[in-house]
């Protein structure tokens, strides 16, 4: 959610007609502001954003972030596709998305300006480093004339000055060469941003001192740059459009808070889940964006009984995790779509031998390598249906970074209780984004200690496939005296587990596996926002939670009976979901795919669900959802649902990630959307 | 092998104790039966404990093996047994793990995993049953089939060069490489040596697929003339083969000029010292270069090198992981509550404005 101005119904057809952000800024104190830092990949914008996020959190504002970086590891300097950006939405009220259009844009070079300017709210503030506006850089950004001089910035408030020169001047006493001095530019900019929002510099100073402990002169230079940027704010205020804005702290539930990204929260949730199950954890992974972050986090948590194993490929990663589960540990594996595809056969084996396993899929755009650094929700079919044979498995989806913690615990609980693999879906957006998180107390979670069979379970006889009331077979650790037995992927006898592919037995076993999963005990579906019945239910899953929630709220304020239903348990579906949806005249399912959950709902519940899809690698904007909901109330028949076009206000910007600028005019691009980009030299790609 | 298993009364077993009640489903006459018996005969000798023993396999005729051994067993998926075995050993290094694979399972679909389990030096025994054919899928040629092998998928004979399993293992960094064959009476000794080795112990076992690739190893495996065609290696002993009754005693010598092995005649004598005069090499199982030469010897001109070719232990993967975890945990706080509250935090205090 963005600013006060954006809280009002958006008028997406013509952004120019929307309420001016300048007005919003002129108001004494907006209750939320969206800032976007954009620069060259080498400018340290993610770091600036991260530290600004920290200072925002410490100031008590609620926030949501959206980091966006190119797939190339070192994109050529100054190019359009090498632009890296970080957006933060923060305020004195609850924030649930990274914001629609920014109020403030910081553009560190011409390419960053070109890529992001269109997104800036009319009347918004753009801060520009003129030191980078050389002919060469303008050419690289495909500017035919200098935007600082040709009047093309007239719609916005512009604060343009030579940040590069000011930084060099500020760090001069530390004897750095110009090239090194310019590396502190991001700290200079951060100092200015801290001034603008009346923030304490001390936490950043502490962080710099800690980060450059071994190089005190670098720490000192960065601190000097930070201070200089801050001091500049005072001067600029007198002469330009810059104003100090203070956003009082958001009202939040009392308690201890920190910021957390989805990847961190999943790692912590897995550790917590293993502890609640009273098991050591074995994590098998193979590097892939954006899932690697989980492997990196867990590799540092060995003191929690965690073994991490970087396997030779995704297949080995899951197979080793199944091996560890067989030997009595909590097996976990994690990847992104392409890697999850490779794990498919092994998932089938885990289902067949009925061993607990947690599979985390940090979804990204596909198919194939697709959009390795961008988000999508397009692996839902893969999660629910994507295996050979009748191979059902519970699927749980996280809605936000903080929620990923609870979902990870839930996945561990289901896996151990039902002796089954469980798929936990998250996505690139959740994995990378940060939000304030009320630190949970582990004591608040009910433990679910794993039990191992220690003695024969049928008189003197061992029946490895004899099920309990949950339909789960016993977990038997090799090493247990007297319980030797054999398991494998061949169909096995319903009780003894010995090879048995007789027709009746396969029927029994197929049914047993199926009914175990369909009988998994999950909470009944609740309504996130609104009533139990009404004109429209907007049904979401995963990371669309934030924008759907806000869009539904806006329509409720306008008096419409719209409800938000957010589904965490994708498979099996909550038992009351069908009945609940039947109480609404219409069902709209927004998804960042071509309608996968909609299909599952139609199939499972025979409900006439309509699809709203977006597959541009950008999350839904609140305004887009608001417009889509409005289609149900505009009196026009048949215009509901459909496809949301790529959004030039959002990250990633439309010029980012182009290969050669010859992107064809796809129908949804509209006129003139194929802008020339940069030829992509063969660079390492973050795949 | 598992050094932590104490030999005690409970581990005194007989061959019978290692037989399951499952009907063995290999074709009559298949070499797999002999290997099964050799393993079942060896396990009591090792004082192995069935409860602590795990057989892990991939897919293939050979990979049915675990169903027939009365221990823990996991018949997994095609080619991936090394990854399962690695997970099992990392989760519980005290288990005594035997991995069973075939030439197709281990060298085509699972070649990557086999390479990595050897390179990592996971402490277990790997038995690769090489029948130079895909048995279970009814006789297609395999990565070890000789050029010209005629099968349903190569009706005109295969054209691609075969892989050499022992050379592959050495190349992957294996610290124990041995060879045997199904019906050989020496196979249990090779299994014992593999079990004694700390680390990944790789054994290529030539196995007769009587249905799809009958008797392809006959040239050296047949009892008739065996002594002339089999070179059984023993560390510290001269590399001699043949007999006075047959083609005479022969040995292997290193030709320094060509830096290659040569077969030399050892004249008969009473003193027994003549092999030295003939320049016959003494087998050194710790010499990696020699191991490479032995596994690469073309059969025919040379005998088939059998027994323990290379045995030179190095640190195991599990030991490394355990040490790393201990080091990483040293003096570290393992309170989950404190982990969750790590980093820069802030407190929102309860005020009148608290929302419900
Ligand atoms: C993923 C997969 N691909 C193919 C198969 C079919 N398949 C089963 S066994 C086998 C080859 C086995 O050859 P080998 O490892 O030499 O074993 P053998 O039967 O000769 O002992 C193949 C291709 C399979 N089970 N799984
Ligand atoms: S097909 Fe060959 S390898 Fe398989 S059981 Fe029959 S004889 Fe043995
Ligand atoms: Mg074979």
């Amino acid at each position: 959610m963005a600013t006060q101005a954006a809280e009002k119904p958006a008028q997406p057809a013509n952004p120019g007609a929307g309420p001016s952000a300048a007005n919003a800024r002129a108001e004494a104190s907006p209750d939320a502001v969206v800032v976007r830092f954009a620069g060259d990949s080498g400018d340290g914008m993610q770091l600036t954003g991260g530290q600004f996020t920290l200072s925002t959190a410490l100031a008590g504002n609620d926030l949501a972030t959206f980091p966006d970086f190119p797939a190339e590891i070192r994109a050529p300097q100054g190019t359009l596709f090498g632009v890296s950006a970080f957006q933060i939405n923060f305020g004195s009220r609850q924030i649930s998305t990274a914001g629609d259009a920014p109020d403030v844009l910081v553009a560190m070079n011409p390419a960053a300006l070109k890529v992001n300017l269109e997104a800036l709210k009319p009347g918004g503030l753009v801060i520009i480093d003129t030191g980078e506006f050389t002919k060469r850089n303008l050419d690289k950004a495909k500017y035919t004339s200098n935007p600082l001089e040709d009047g093309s910035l007239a719609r916005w408030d512009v604060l343009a000055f030579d940040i590069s020169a000011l930084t060099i001047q500020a760090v001069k006493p530390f004897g750095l060469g110009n090239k090194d001095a310019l590396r502190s530019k991001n700290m200079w900019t951060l100092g200015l941003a801290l001034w603008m929002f009346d923030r304490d510099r001390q936490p950043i100073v502490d962080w710099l001192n800690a980060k450059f402990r071994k190089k005190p002169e670098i720490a000192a230079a960065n601190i000097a740059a930070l201070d200089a940027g801050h001091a500049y704010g005072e001067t600029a205020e007198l002469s330009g459009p810059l104003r100090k804005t203070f956003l009082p702290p958001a009202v939040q539930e009392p308690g201890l808070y920190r910021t957390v990204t989805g990847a961190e929260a999943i790692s912590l949730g897995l550790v917590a889940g293993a502890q609640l199950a009273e098991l050591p954890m074995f994590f098998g992974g193979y590097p892939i964006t954006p899932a690697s972050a989980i492997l990196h986090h867990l590799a540092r948590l060995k003191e929690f009984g965690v073994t991490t194993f970087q396997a030779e490929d995704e297949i080995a990663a899951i197979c080793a995790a199944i091996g560890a589960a067989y030997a009595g540990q909590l097996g976990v594996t994690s990847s992104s779509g392409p890697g999850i595809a490779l794990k498919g056969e092994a998932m089938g084996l885990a289902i067949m031998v009925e061993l607990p396993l947690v599979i985390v899929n940090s979804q990204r755009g596909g198919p194939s390598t697709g959009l390795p650094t961008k988000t999508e929700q397009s692996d839902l079919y893969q999660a629910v249906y994507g295996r050979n044979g009748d191979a059902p498995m519970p699927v749980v989806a996280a809605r936000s970074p903080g929620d990923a913690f609870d979902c990870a615990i839930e996945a561990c609980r289901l896996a151990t209780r039902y002796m089954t693999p469980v798929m936990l879906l998250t996505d690139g957006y959740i994995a990378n984004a940060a939000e304030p998180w009320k630190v949970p107390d582990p004591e608040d979670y009910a433990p679910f200690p794993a039990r191992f069979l220690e003695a024969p379970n049928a008189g003197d006889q061992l029946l490895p496939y004899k099920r309990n009331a949950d339909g789960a077979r016993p977990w038997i650790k090799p090493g247990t005296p007297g319980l030797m037995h054999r398991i494998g992927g061949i169909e096995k006898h319903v009780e003894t587990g010995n090879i048995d592919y007789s027709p009746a037995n396969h029927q029994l076993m197929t049914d047993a596996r199926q009914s175990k999963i369909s009988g998994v005990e999950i909470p009944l579906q609740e309504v996130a926002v609104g009533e139990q019945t009404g004109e429209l239910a907007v049904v979401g899953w995963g990371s669309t939670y934030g924008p759907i929630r806000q869009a539904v709220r806006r329509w409720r304020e306008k008096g419409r009976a719209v409800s938000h239903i957010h589904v965490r348990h994708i498979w099996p579906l909550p038992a009351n979901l069908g009945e609940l949806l039947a109480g609404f005249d219409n069902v709209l399912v927004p998804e960042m795919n071509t309608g996968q959950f909609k299909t599952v709902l139609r199939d499972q519940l025979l409900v006439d669900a309509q699809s709203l899809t977006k597959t541009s690698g950008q999350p839904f904007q609140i305004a887009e959802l608001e417009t889509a909901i409005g289609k149900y109330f505009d009196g026009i028949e048949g215009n509901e649902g459909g496809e949301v076009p790529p959004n030039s206000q959002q990250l990633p910007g439309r010029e980012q990630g182009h290969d050669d600028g010859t992107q064809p005019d796809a129908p949804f691009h509209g006129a003139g959307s194929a802008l020339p980009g940069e030829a992509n030299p063969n660079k390492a790609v973050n795949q | 092998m598992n050094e932590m298993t104490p030999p005690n009364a409970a581990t005194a077993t007989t061959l019978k104790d290692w037989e399951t009640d499952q009907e063995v489903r290999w074709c009559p006459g298949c070499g797999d039966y002999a290997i099964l018996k050799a393993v079942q005969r060896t396990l009591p000798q090792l004082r192995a404990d069935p409860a602590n023993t795990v057989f892990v396999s991939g897919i293939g005729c050979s990979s049915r093996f675990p169903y027939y051994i009365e221990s823990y067993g996991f018949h997994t998926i095609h080619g991936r047994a090394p990854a399962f075995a690695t997970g099992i050993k990392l989760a519980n290094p005290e288990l005594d793990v035997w991995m069973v694979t075939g030439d197709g399972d281990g060298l085509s679909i699972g070649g990557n995993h086999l390479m990595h389990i050897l390179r990592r030096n996971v402490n277990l025994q790997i038995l690769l049953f090489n029948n130079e054919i895909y048995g279970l899928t009814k006789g297609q040629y395999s990565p070890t089939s000789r050029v010209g092998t005629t099968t349903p998928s190569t009706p005109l004979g295969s054209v691609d060069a075969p892989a050499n399993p022992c050379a592959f293992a050495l190349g992957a960094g294996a610290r124990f490489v041995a060879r045997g064959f199904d019906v050989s009476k020496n196979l249990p000794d090779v299994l014992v040596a593999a079990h004694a080795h700390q680390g990944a112990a790789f054994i290529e076992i030539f196995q007769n697929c009587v249905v799809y690739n009958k008797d392809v190893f006959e040239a050296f495996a047949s009892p008739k003339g065996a002594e002339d065609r089999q070179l059984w290696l023993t560390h510290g002993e001269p590399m001699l083969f043949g007999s006075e009754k047959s083609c005479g005693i022969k040995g292997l010598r290193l030709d320094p000029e060509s830096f290659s092995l040569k077969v030399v005649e050892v004249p008969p004598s009473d003193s027994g010292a003549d092999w030295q005069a003939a320049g016959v090499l003494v087998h050194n199982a710790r010499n990696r270069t020699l191991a490479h030469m032995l596994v690469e010897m073309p059969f025919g001109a040379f005998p088939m090198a059998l027994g323990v070719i290379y045995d030179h232990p190095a640190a195991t993967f599990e030991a490394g992981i355990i040490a790393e975890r201990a080091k990483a945990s040293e003096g570290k706080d393992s309170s989950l509550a404190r982990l969750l509250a790590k980093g820069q935090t802030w407190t929102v205090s309860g005020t009148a404005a608290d929302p419900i």
Side-chain angles (χ1 to χ4, degrees), chain B residues 62 102-105 129-136 142 144 207 209:
Chain B
S62 36
D103 44 318
D105 190 65
F129 295 13
N130 184 6
N131 55 12
E132 297 188 359
I133 206 81
Y134 285 2
L136 192 67
S142 92
T144 55
Q207 173 246 325
C209 170

Side-chain angles (χ1 to χ4, degrees), chain A residues 412-430:
Chain A
C412 297
R413 183 185 75 85
L414 294 176
T416 49
R417 175 168 168 190
Y418 294 96
M419 294 291 285
T420 179
V422 176
M423 176 90 68
L424 170 56
L425 291 176
T426 167
D427 61 37
Y429 177 46
I430 296 176

Side-chain angles (χ1 to χ4, degrees), chain B residues 37-355:
Chain B
K37 275 281 173 284
V39 170
Q40 286 169 334
R41 193 171 301 133
T42 307
L43 289 165
Q45 219 177 309
L46 299 171
R47 302 189 73 81
D49 176 1
N52 205 47
T53 302
V54 186
F55 277 80
V56 185
S57 64
I59 297 290
C61 296
S62 36
S63 289
R64 291 285 183 105
F65 203 87
Y67 290 112
Y68 311 134
I69 297 266
E70 186 56 51
S71 68
Y72 284 91
F74 199 172
H75 178 219
T76 70
I77 48 178
H78 200 20
R80 322 298 175 190
F84 288 94
T86 302
I88 292 169
K89 284 296 282 187
L90 288 179
N92 185 357
E94 304 208 359
L95 293 172
D96 192 2
V97 177
W98 298 77
M99 197 191 105
V100 179
T101 183
D103 44 318
D105 190 65
L107 289 171
S108 44
I109 192 166
N112 186 32
H113 308 303
L114 187 58
M115 164 170 116
H116 290 283
I117 197 170
L118 293 170
R119 167 183 76 76
R120 292 188 178 111
N121 201 26
V122 177
N123 190 11
L124 82 175
Q125 297 73 245
I126 300 171
L127 315 184
L128 186 142
F129 295 13
N130 184 6
N131 55 12
E132 297 188 359
I133 206 81
Y134 285 2
L136 192 67
T137 47
K138 300 198 191 302
Q140 300 84 357
Y141 86 121
S142 92
T144 55
S145 300
R146 292 165 221 179
V147 172
T149 301
T150 310
T151 73
S153 61
T154 51
L156 303 179
S158 61
V159 296
D160 40 338
N164 176 333
C166 287
F168 171 88
L170 282 170
R175 311 294 306 190
F176 181 100
V177 174
R179 264 195 198 136
F181 59 91
D182 44 17
V183 294
S184 166
K185 64 175 189 339
N186 295 337
L187 185 56
D189 293 343
V190 178
L191 297 173
V192 169
H195 193 258
H197 175 90
Q198 296 297 305
F202 178 84
I203 313 173
E204 176 187 18
I205 304 174
F206 297 110
Q207 173 246 325
N208 192 4
C209 170
V210 293
V211 174
Y212 296 112
N213 215 17
K214 195 168 170 13
D215 296 341
V216 283
F217 306 114
E218 196 61 6
F220 65 85
S222 138
K224 199 164 155 271
E227 66 268 39
D228 298 328
R229 302 193 190 109
Q230 299 173 10
L231 170 65
W232 284 94
L233 297 158
T234 310
H235 179 69
E237 299 286 326
M239 299 199 271
L240 295 170
F241 60 100
S243 75
E244 282 162 31
K245 276 175 273 164
S246 56
C247 314
I249 295 182
K250 293 177 186 159
L252 291 185
R253 187 176 71 84
L254 182 73
D255 176 34
E257 231 102 284
S258 63
F259 203 69
S260 60
L261 296 175
K262 289 259 145 71
V263 173
V264 290
E265 309 267 347
V266 180
S269 99
D270 304 329
S271 66
D274 291 10
W275 61 266
Q276 279 161 313
V280 171
L281 284 172
V282 169
H283 181 47
N284 178 0
R286 295 178 154 248
N287 187 328
R288 209 172 172 81
T289 310
L290 179 61
H292 275 286
M293 288 177 155
L294 288 167
V295 303
E296 295 280 4
M297 290 187 309
F299 179 73
F302 287 90
M304 180 58 75
L306 295 162
V308 178
I309 296 164
Y310 184 63
D311 181 2
H312 191 188
T316 68
F317 187 45
E318 303 94 292
I321 294 283
I322 291 168
E324 185 191 56
R325 189 178 328 130
K327 191 166 155 236
S329 309
E330 214 170 60
K332 285 261 191 76
D333 181 356
S334 61
S335 146
L336 179 61
R338 277 192 291 275
L339 171 68
L340 298 182
K342 232 173 170 172
Q344 270 173 298
T345 56
W346 66 97
T347 305
V348 175
S349 51
T351 64
D354 285 351

Side-chain angles (χ1 to χ4, degrees), chain A residues 242-329:
Chain A
L242 201 59
R243 261 176 307 276
K244 201 169 195 158
T245 310
F246 175 72
L247 281 81
V251 185
Q252 281 169 322
E253 215 184 306
L256 183 69
Y257 282 79
R258 61 174 281 189
T259 58
V260 77
T261 65
E264 281 170 339
I266 285 186
S267 311
L268 295 171
L270 291 170
V271 171
Q275 292 210 346
L276 292 167
E278 297 173 9
L279 293 172
M281 187 210 302
F282 180 96
F283 181 93
Y286 183 79
I288 185 168
T289 304
S292 303
I294 299 172
L295 170 62
H296 302 168
H297 284 300
L298 287 171
R300 296 176 167 279
L301 297 178
K302 300 210 158 66
E303 67 270 30
F304 291 90
V306 176
T307 302
T308 53
F309 172 57
Q310 182 180 315
E312 56 271 27
D313 62 21
E314 283 89 350
I315 300 172
I318 186 173
C319 292
I322 297 171
Y326 172 66
Q329 298 201 345

Side-chain angles (χ1 to χ4, degrees), chain A residues 207-232:
Chain A
W207 171 77
L208 283 168
N209 280 326
K211 185 173 164 71
F212 297 111
R213 208 175 32 244
K214 296 206 181 98
K215 296 180 189 157
E217 68 292 348
I218 302 285
N222 276 298
I223 293 166
L226 184 79
D227 288 343
H230 193 266
Y232 186 86

Side-chain angles (χ1 to χ4, degrees), chain A residues 101-390:
Chain A
D103 301 288
V104 178
L105 168 66
V106 178
M108 301 302 285
N109 70 2
L113 182 70
K114 181 134 189 210
V115 168
N116 291 286
L117 187 65
E118 234 184 300
L120 185 63
K121 230 170 248 174
L125 173 67
V126 54
I127 300 173
I128 295 172
D129 178 9
T130 57
E132 288 287 330
F133 278 61
T134 58
K135 168 88 176 60
R136 197 175 136 75
N137 283 348
L138 287 165
D139 286 349
K140 281 196 201 166
K142 312 262 171 187
Y143 271 121
T144 46
S145 69
N146 188 340
L148 300 176
E149 292 158 3
D150 65 8
S152 60
L153 303 179
R155 277 197 286 156
W156 296 279
D157 279 346
V158 179
L159 182 66
F161 55 101
D162 196 339
I163 297 180
S164 301
L166 289 166
T167 305
I168 291 174
Q169 195 187 330
V171 305
K172 207 182 224 143
F174 302 93
L176 304 178
N178 274 5
K179 201 165 162 227
D180 284 334
L182 283 173
R183 285 180 196 221
S184 304
K185 233 167 44 169
N186 61 337
M187 285 300 125
W188 196 100
T189 316
L190 180 61
L192 181 65
L194 293 182
W195 177 85
M196 282 174 71
F197 298 101
D198 203 15
R199 298 280 172 66
D200 186 8
R201 266 166 294 159
Q202 196 55 43
I204 316 295
V205 170
D206 293 345
W207 171 77
L208 283 168
N209 280 326
K211 185 173 164 71
F212 297 111
R213 208 175 32 244
K214 296 206 181 98
K215 296 180 189 157
E217 68 292 348
I218 302 285
N222 276 298
I223 293 166
L226 184 79
D227 288 343
H230 193 266
Y232 186 86
E234 305 282 348
T235 352
E237 188 181 24
L238 302 175
S239 58
L242 201 59
R243 261 176 307 276
K244 201 169 195 158
T245 310
F246 175 72
L247 281 81
V251 185
Q252 281 169 322
E253 215 184 306
L256 183 69
Y257 282 79
R258 61 174 281 189
T259 58
V260 77
T261 65
E264 281 170 339
I266 285 186
S267 311
L268 295 171
L270 291 170
V271 171
Q275 292 210 346
L276 292 167
E278 297 173 9
L279 293 172
M281 187 210 302
F282 180 96
F283 181 93
Y286 183 79
I288 185 168
T289 304
S292 303
I294 299 172
L295 170 62
H296 302 168
H297 284 300
L298 287 171
R300 296 176 167 279
L301 297 178
K302 300 210 158 66
E303 67 270 30
F304 291 90
V306 176
T307 302
T308 53
F309 172 57
Q310 182 180 315
E312 56 271 27
D313 62 21
E314 283 89 350
I315 300 172
I318 186 173
C319 292
I322 297 171
Y326 172 66
Q329 298 201 345
L330 180 66
V332 182
T333 188
S334 143
S335 190
S336 184
I340 297 292
L342 288 175
K343 294 177 195 290
E345 186 194 10
M347 285 183 215
L349 179 71
I351 289 167
M352 196 70 170
V353 296
E354 304 189 44
L355 282 169
L357 181 74
V358 175
I359 303 147
V360 184
N361 181 356
S362 301
Q363 299 168 94
R364 65 190 212 185
S368 188
T369 305
L371 312 176
T373 62
K374 314 296 177 215
T375 201
E376 215 165 79
Q377 298 180 298
S378 45
D379 295 346
L380 184 129
Y381 285 160
Q382 189 191 33
V384 175
Y385 304 120
R387 289 166 293 281
N388 65 298
D390 280 304

